[in-house]
Every structure is written in C-alpha cells, then in structure tokens.
Amino acid sequence: MIAPVEKYTRWLHTQWPAGQGEKLPRVNDDGSTNIPGVYITGDLTGIPLLKFASDRGSRVVSLIVADPAFAKERGADDGILDLVIVGGGVSGMAAALEADKHKLNYQIIEASEPFSTIANFPKAKPIFAYPTDMIPAGDLQFGAEVKEPLLDELREQTKDIHPRRARVEKVVRKGRVLEVVIPGEQSILAHRVIIAIGRSGNFRKLGVPGEKLDKVYNRLHDPKDFCNKNVAVIGGGDSAIESAIALAQCGANVTISYRKPEFSRPKPENVEKLNALQCDPNAHVAIEAPVADRVTTATGPFMDEHARPGCITLMMASRPKEILEDSMVITDSEGIDQTVPNDAVFAMIGREPPLDFFRRSGVRIHGETTGFEWLFIGLFFLAMILVYDWKNEGVISHAMPALSAETSFPKSMPDVIASWGDGWSAQIADRTSIIGTLAVSMKGRSFYYTLAYTLCVGGFGIARIRRRRTPYVTVQMSVLFLVQFIPLFLGPELIRHGLGYHGVFDSGFGRTIADYMFAPYISDAALAAHDW
C-alpha cells in the first residue's frame, strides 16, 4: 500500500519544496503596466529567451503606433519625445529598430553598453536561440549560436542606433506625459516609455561566511584563467551548467552544488555535455521528469583521489556552508559537511530583478499588495461572511426577522413565478414537473449560494483556459466545472428533489438511502399538506 501512495505523492511533485514565486512587475499580455503609457519587454515578462525578447520589443512598438490615442498625441508638443526606450539589450534594440521604421522621435537609454548581458557571457559560450523555428517580428534577426559571432551579428544590425549613456532612476506620469528621471541631469518627457532593462538588479547572495573573498565571482569571463584549478559552481540554471562545462573543458576540476535533487529541465545539449564530463562515468544527470523516466544522480564528496583533471562532480541537494581561502565546506544531500579543496567559487544563482526601480515608478509587482488592495481583500472577506451567514440563516437573520418571513426572498419565489401567469401557476402546483421542482429548490437559500459558487467556478475556468491555451488546462477546468455543476449543484438542488417528488424515496431501499444521506425524509403526503 505504501508504494502506490508514495508514487502518487511524487506524481503530485510533493518531493520538491514549493518555495515562493519570484517577484516580477505585473505585465499585461500586450506589455502594458498599471501606469498608462509604460510598457515592459524582455526578461522581466517572465520568458528569458532572446527570440521572445526581440519579438516582444518589436511588437510593443507596433502596438503603440497603432494606438489612436498615441497618433493624436505625437508631434503635438515641442520637447516631448514620442518614445523613450530604457535598456539597450536585445529587446530594447529591437524596439529601437521598429521605432526607426515608423520614424518616431525617440531616444534609447542604456546604463552600460548595448547587449551588455551577452557581452558579459564567458568566451565562446554557446547561446541557443530557442525556439529554433521561430522568426521574431521586426528587423532584428540572428542565427549565430556562439557569443562572439552573435554579438557581431547584433551589433552590425544596430550600428546606426546610438544609445544615450545614463542610468534612469524612475519613470513617473506627470499629467498627460511621462517623465523619465535621470539623476543629475534634466528629465526627459515622452508620450510612451518602454522598459527593457532585463534582470539588471544586484547579484543574489549565497549568505555564507567567506562570500566576500576575492576568489568568489558572479560571472565567468574566460575559462582559461582557471585551468587545472579546483572550482566550485553554485547553482543549477543553464548559466551555472554552461559555466561548469566551459571550466571543465579547459581542464578545471569542477563541483556543481545545487540545492535541489534534480536540474529543472536544462537544455538537452547541456545534459549531453554534463554526462560526458562527469568524474564518475556511471553517473547521469537527473532532470525534472515524470516519475517513470526519472534517474538518480550520484552525490557525495568533491572528488576522490583518482578523479582525472577536467571533469565535473555533481553534488545535488546540497548547499554551501562556508568559503575558506583554500577550501570550501558543502553540506551534502545527507546533511554531512564535506570540506573540499577549492581555488575559486562561481555563485551563479541569478540576479534580483530591479524591483526598487519599479516601486519608485509606481509599477505594481506580483506578490506585493497595496493599501487599497488590502482594503478590497478585507471588504471581500466581510462580504463572504455576510453571504455565508445569510445562507445558513445565522446571526443577521435572527437579528432581522423580516429576512426569514414567508413573504421575503427567497421563500417568496414560488409565488413570484406563479404571478407570471396561469401556465406557470399550474406548473408550480405539479411538483413532479421541472418547474415545480425548481420552484421548491428556489425557496432555499442554499440554491443561490451553490449557483453563485458554480458560476464562479465556470467564470474562473473560462478565464484560465483563455490565459493558458493548452489541452491539459482545458480538460482540467472543464472537468472541474462539470463536477461542480452536475453532482454538487444539479444533484442536491434539482435531481434529489425531483426523485423525491416521483416517489423514489417513499419506501424501500430509496427510503433507506434518503434517511441515511439526508435529513429525516418527509413523505410526499406530508409535504403536500404543507402550505407554501
């Protein structure tokens, strides 16, 4: 019995801690934000792929140009730009090319250098342009899959674009225009602003002693600087894996320490290289996959004395504990501290999104609730309490007897329906008819409570299907609605009453079921004698 239960819980992914969702600015499908005229493109939309970044940057400019309100505003005031683009990465440059095409009066602002994220990648780093069959919208196209040729390709296509070198503090709306605030310089006024700064916040910290030693790095520039050295790479993303591969190929002995037991869907090319470079030739990379396809990764100390130079040892489900001058302490998957020789540490655990920039600009962030939203949540819960109290004829109904009177809603519903005409009145008198059964059900407050809940399930289901257009979500939400609608609404509110009025529960097995599952059954004769 234990094995099936364990297999089921693994299928539910309970073996992985859920953690917290990453805080990112709230971005609508068209790139717009809660600040009118401010758009966000690139990594901060949640899809860190070059082709999507280029595609979105170009499409957002096209959407802006097609906006009738923008057509009326542009060119109407001297000194106000049509568009300001903050960020000179792939998405920002794609937006600039599109702005050129539409002859917009724009300016692009970059804090460091164009395509700085790619420029800071390790030498000869493979950069796979996924999805391979996708052609981004706009003029910025690329096909190279290695850092240096890709940079040459991007720079050649954008050689006529000259970003302004500055760091933007915030973007705020001032009446009908947007103000781009640059510390120590005059602010820029614009009708529209595109923010394409990527995840340019501070590098995430390991939070362990020794992290400030000179041998700790957040990015790898040239793997050849670490040939024949003992190197640790902390992290399990593609950047961490690719850095470890590059180091090992240059002759370094590399340990990857990752906090989870498996990598989260790395690129297939990286998996192949990792398997080829592992110090243990019998070990294989573990990837998040269905239970039946899951494999186990060997864990343990940094390496044994027979490990050949230029290989990778995986320490999955581990965490760094302390960094020393010539070694490093890593707590392995069994909770045992392993002291390993170490010359350099690469903390490749990503960067914090520039949330302070968005907070200063007033852009809402997922996971952060404003005072008004807290007020709305409080009022919503109060409304739910009142509805539930009404449904159960609780404190409010006892305090206000008029709510429970025979002439009050919903007890008056049969009389209301009967007033529609003789045909309706005759239907109500015959409780075995659908209208008669429905009229009796509509006298109960639970009918409206369950109906409202069913409509909410259906409404939220339709919204989710539209947002996530996948077969799985469509089936999931459809089944959820049908379960709520048929056995949980139609069953107790209509089918049960209809069966009762047809005598199914008057005697025998039906009577036994009714007495067991519901309140003591009232016979049809007694019900007919009841004056409602």
Side-chain angles (χ1 to χ4, degrees), residues 144-213:
E145 295 187 344
V146 179
K147 170 192 167 179
E148 288 76 12
L150 176 61
L151 267 179
D152 292 340
E153 216 173 16
L154 295 172
R155 287 168 174 165
E156 175 62 26
Q157 295 177 74
T158 57
K159 61 184 178 182
D160 295 329
I161 297 175
H162 306 288
R164 174 179 173 179
R165 187 75 173 267
R167 182 173 293 277
V168 176
E169 180 184 4
K170 60 183 177 180
V171 177
V172 293
R173 176 157 283 281
K174 291 293 184 68
R176 56 189 178 83
V177 298
L178 294 162
E179 180 183 6
V180 181
V181 180
I182 301 174
E185 300 182 27
Q186 185 176 357
S187 297
I188 304 172
L189 299 180
H191 293 296
R192 299 291 186 272
V193 173
I194 294 176
I195 300 173
I197 56 179
R199 299 168 189 260
S200 57
N202 296 326
F203 288 102
R204 291 192 174 100
K205 301 296 184 182
L206 294 173
V208 300
E211 186 172 12
K212 294 184 179 181
L213 292 175

Side-chain angles (χ1 to χ4, degrees), residues 209-356:
E211 186 172 12
K212 294 184 179 181
L213 292 175
D214 291 338
K215 72 173 190 176
V216 180
Y217 307 89
N218 295 112
R219 59 173 62 142
L220 173 64
H221 292 285
D222 192 346
K224 293 180 181 178
D225 295 337
F226 302 92
C227 290
N228 302 316
K229 292 185 178 181
N230 294 321
V231 181
V233 176
I234 314 301
D238 279 312
S239 294
I241 295 173
E242 288 163 3
S243 295
I245 291 170
L247 287 162
Q249 288 175 335
C250 286
N253 291 320
V254 184
T255 282
I256 295 180
S257 173
Y258 185 41
R259 60 189 176 88
K260 294 183 179 181
E262 293 132 350
F263 290 119
S264 180
R265 298 174 177 84
K267 295 185 178 76
E269 297 86 349
N270 289 338
V271 174
E272 183 178 351
K273 291 177 182 178
L274 267 180
N275 285 328
L277 288 168
Q278 283 201 63
C279 298
D280 179 359
N282 296 318
H284 295 281
V285 175
I287 310 166
E288 287 186 5
V291 175
D293 301 328
R294 203 176 297 280
V295 292
T296 303
T297 301
T299 60
F302 176 73
M303 65 177 69
D304 60 40
E305 59 182 357
H306 302 295
R308 61 180 175 82
C311 65
I312 298 174
T313 295
L314 301 182
M315 292 187 69
M316 309 303 289
S318 68
R319 63 184 186 278
K321 184 175 183 180
E322 185 177 7
I323 302 172
L324 305 172
E325 289 288 348
D326 58 355
S327 63
M328 181 175 182
V329 181
I330 301 176
T331 304
D332 66 16
S333 60
E334 298 179 356
I336 301 173
D337 291 344
Q338 303 281 353
T339 301
V340 300
N342 178 257
D343 301 308
V345 176
F346 288 88
M348 312 292 284
I349 54 177
R351 304 177 74 157
E352 297 287 352
L355 299 182
D356 287 339

